[in-house]
Amino acid sequence: MAKIQGKRNSTKKEVIIEKASRLFREKGFGAASMRDLAEHVGVEAASLYNHIQSKSEILQTICFKVANEFMTNLEAVEASNQSTLKKMEAIIRLHIRMMLDQYEFVYIADHEWRHLPEPYLSNFLNQRRNYRKRLGDILEEGIGKGEIKAIDPYVAVLVILSAISGIDSWQRSRKSTSAEALESNMVKYLIEGLKK
Amino acid sequence: MAKIQGKRNSTKKEVIIEKASRLFREKGFGAASMRDLAEHVGVEAASLYNHIQSKSEILQTICFKVANEFMTNLEAVEASNQSTLKKMEAIIRLHIRMMLDQYEFVYIADHEWRHLPEPYLSNFLNQRRNYRKRLGDILEEGIGKGEIKAIDPYVAVLVILSAISGIDSWQRSRKSTSAEALESNMVKYLIEGLKK
DNA sequence: ATAAAATGCTAACGACTGTTAGCCAATTAT
DNA sequence: ATAATTGGCTAACAGTCGTTAGCATTTTAT
């Protein structure tokens, strides 16, 4: 049975996935070994397999957890009755926040999905394509209604998502740019390019 | 002696690096094996070592080749007498072009630098920090002269570079967006956010 | 033609990979 | 108290990794 861990309010499987996310980001999925991971969890490598089925399963869990979270949020935004600009701002802000406080997970979903085994790889890429398509549709609708500038929606989505995912190279140590300032400045830049 | 290859106007070392760049991008540095690479070059794994010294050396060559190319261009732009907007546009266009026609190399310098061994890793990161700093200085000067909008230069650099590096997820197959259209649309979006 | 250098090959080393088997102790359920 | 389950351990497997040694062949220089 999956019981509650003593210290924290999380199962050991969750601890494993959390530690793994850090390791996968630092070394890359291929270069991170199960023995490495085991050491960080405080256990022998073989013992990991009492909680997970394979190394790939960890990657799958992380990637689809992130994908589902973004997708759920997108659906909420789509169903809302805001203006196009407000919708885009909501999405942009969510992406930035996710990047800031679920950094490891988002990073892996962004950069290590290549190592997903089939059929999960195709599945993941389909979801991603679908997500971007629907973001583009929001922009296109906004253009049709004359709410935003007539920019190529595909390029705009590319720019917005890539810009945010680039926060991974942000130097958290810099005092000059706090998380809040980063978010507001980035929103400003990205939204400004959409306004008429 | 490093002699000229029969077919092409390139040494075998260059062929190895070219094939490796493709492989490193597809599988990641850690997951790409020398035996894999050897097969693509048409040779046994051990024979590679007649032309290179190690797997890491290939990564180093690629990363610093790209870094030097960008740095050289930046110096030319800095020395020029253009307006801030023109300077930024020149830099943006170069980045996009590099991304489009030296895709594999740029991708690796962007994503696989983590696997550089010390002291090359520190060296590379220093160069990158320096590059971004100087891009930020160009923007700051433009703001001081009142040529562009008073945006946070650090964030602007982050957005611009990240947006361009995100072209790696661009679907070349899409007929709807040619390389030229992509470039002009992207420049438009990114430059627009800088204008007053 | 002969020497020298470059480049290929096979075989192998030692280290490391993800994962499984089998056993034992601790915890939980009856 | 006893049985059942969970989760830890050690040992090991079969495979792959980057790399080196030693030898053979081809190409270049003299």
Side-chain angles (χ1 to χ4, degrees):
Chain A
M1 240 181 280
K3 279 294 159 178
I4 303 171
Q5 195 68 5
K7 294 181 181 180
R8 304 175 187 179
N9 194 9
S10 52
T11 62
K12 195 130 205 172
K13 182 167 182 174
E14 287 170 332
V15 171
I16 290 173
I17 289 173
E18 190 188 308
K19 297 285 185 188
S21 68
R22 173 82 179 271
L23 210 62
F24 289 175
R25 177 186 59 80
E26 285 177 350
K27 304 198 168 191
F29 178 79
S33 78
M34 295 303 274
R35 286 167 180 85
D36 251 4
L37 173 57
E39 201 170 345
H40 280 85
V41 176
V43 105
E44 287 300 316
S47 305
L48 294 173
Y49 290 83
N50 287 322
H51 305 91
I52 58 159
Q53 290 195 337
S54 68
K55 191 185 180 188
S56 292
E57 193 211 14
I58 302 177
L59 184 62
Q60 291 159 33
T61 304
I62 295 173
C63 288
F64 286 98
K65 185 174 140 66
V66 172
N68 289 336
E69 200 151 340
F70 279 123
M71 194 58 93
T72 300
N73 183 263
L74 175 60
E75 281 162 3
V77 170
E78 283 174 333
S80 74
N81 280 334
Q82 308 169 86
S83 69
T84 300
L85 275 177
K86 286 285 176 196
K87 281 182 184 172
M88 290 309 296
E89 182 173 336
I91 291 166
I92 290 172
R93 283 193 190 276
L94 177 86
H95 273 261
I96 295 176
R97 295 241 175 90
M98 289 274 290
M99 198 68 191
L100 289 175
D101 48 60
Q102 298 208 53
Y103 175 44
E104 319 279 357
F105 285 173
V106 179
Y107 181 90
I108 287 162
D110 263 8
H111 292 89
E112 301 292 328
W113 54 264
R114 278 169 197 274
H115 300 96
L116 285 170
E118 291 289 5
Y120 303 98
L121 178 59
S122 298
N123 197 319
F124 182 83
L125 287 178
N126 282 338
Q127 272 199 245
R128 194 175 75 158
R129 196 177 314 123
N130 180 246
Y131 186 83
R132 295 186 178 190
K133 170 78 169 56
R134 284 157 72 171
L135 274 192
D137 288 346
I138 292 179
L139 287 175
E140 216 153 45
E141 191 191 336
I143 295 170
K145 288 183 179 174
E147 294 185 42
I148 62 172
K149 189 184 299 181
I151 197 173
D152 182 323
Y154 184 76
V155 171
V157 168
L158 202 62
V159 168
I160 290 170
L161 295 186
S162 305
I164 294 165
S165 107
I167 296 180
D168 63 22
S169 67
W170 175 50
Q171 311 222 18
R172 279 171 172 66
S173 56
R174 272 177 72 111
K175 292 182 183 176
S176 60
T177 309
S178 73
E180 300 79 26
L182 182 77
E183 180 177 338
S184 85
N185 277 303
M186 197 167 257
V187 169
K188 202 172 163 187
Y189 193 170
L190 292 177
I191 287 290
E192 207 63 33
L194 298 178
K195 286 186 183 167
K196 280 198 129 176
Chain B
M1 239 180 276
K3 279 295 158 180
I4 301 171
Q5 195 67 3
K7 294 181 180 181
R8 304 174 187 180
N9 195 10
S10 52
T11 63
K12 196 126 205 174
K13 182 167 183 175
E14 287 170 332
V15 172
I16 290 173
I17 289 173
E18 190 189 308
K19 296 285 184 187
S21 67
R22 173 80 180 271
L23 210 61
F24 289 175
R25 176 185 61 80
E26 285 177 348
K27 304 201 168 190
F29 179 77
S33 78
M34 295 302 275
R35 287 168 179 84
D36 251 4
L37 173 56
E39 200 170 344
H40 281 85
V41 176
V43 106
E44 288 300 316
S47 305
L48 295 172
Y49 289 83
N50 286 321
H51 305 91
I52 58 158
Q53 290 194 337
S54 69
K55 192 186 179 188
S56 292
E57 192 210 17
I58 302 178
L59 185 62
Q60 293 160 31
T61 304
I62 294 174
C63 288
F64 287 99
K65 184 175 140 66
V66 172
N68 289 336
E69 200 152 340
F70 279 123
M71 195 57 94
T72 301
N73 183 263
L74 175 60
E75 281 162 3
V77 170
E78 283 174 334
S80 73
N81 280 335
Q82 308 169 87
S83 70
T84 300
L85 274 179
K86 285 287 175 193
K87 281 182 183 172
M88 289 309 295
E89 182 174 336
I91 290 165
I92 290 172
R93 284 192 188 275
L94 177 85
H95 273 262
I96 296 176
R97 296 243 173 89
M98 288 274 290
M99 197 68 189
L100 290 176
D101 49 60
Q102 297 207 53
Y103 175 45
E104 319 280 356
F105 285 172
V106 178
Y107 180 92
I108 287 163
D110 263 7
H111 294 89
E112 302 292 328
W113 55 262
R114 278 169 199 275
H115 301 96
L116 284 170
E118 290 289 4
Y120 302 97
L121 178 59
S122 297
N123 196 320
F124 182 82
L125 287 177
N126 282 339
Q127 271 199 247
R128 194 176 75 158
R129 195 178 313 120
N130 179 246
Y131 186 84
R132 294 185 180 191
K133 170 79 168 58
R134 284 157 73 172
L135 273 192
D137 289 346
I138 292 179
L139 287 175
E140 217 153 42
E141 191 191 335
I143 294 170
K145 288 184 179 174
E147 293 186 43
I148 63 172
K149 190 184 298 181
I151 196 171
D152 182 322
Y154 184 75
V155 171
V157 169
L158 202 61
V159 168
I160 290 170
L161 295 186
S162 305
I164 295 165
S165 105
I167 297 181
D168 62 20
S169 67
W170 175 52
Q171 311 220 19
R172 279 170 172 65
S173 55
R174 272 178 71 110
K175 291 183 183 178
S176 59
T177 310
S178 72
E180 299 80 26
L182 182 78
E183 180 178 338
S184 86
N185 277 304
M186 197 167 257
V187 169
K188 201 173 163 187
Y189 193 170
L190 292 176
I191 287 290
E192 206 63 32
L194 298 177
K195 286 186 183 168
K196 279 198 131 173

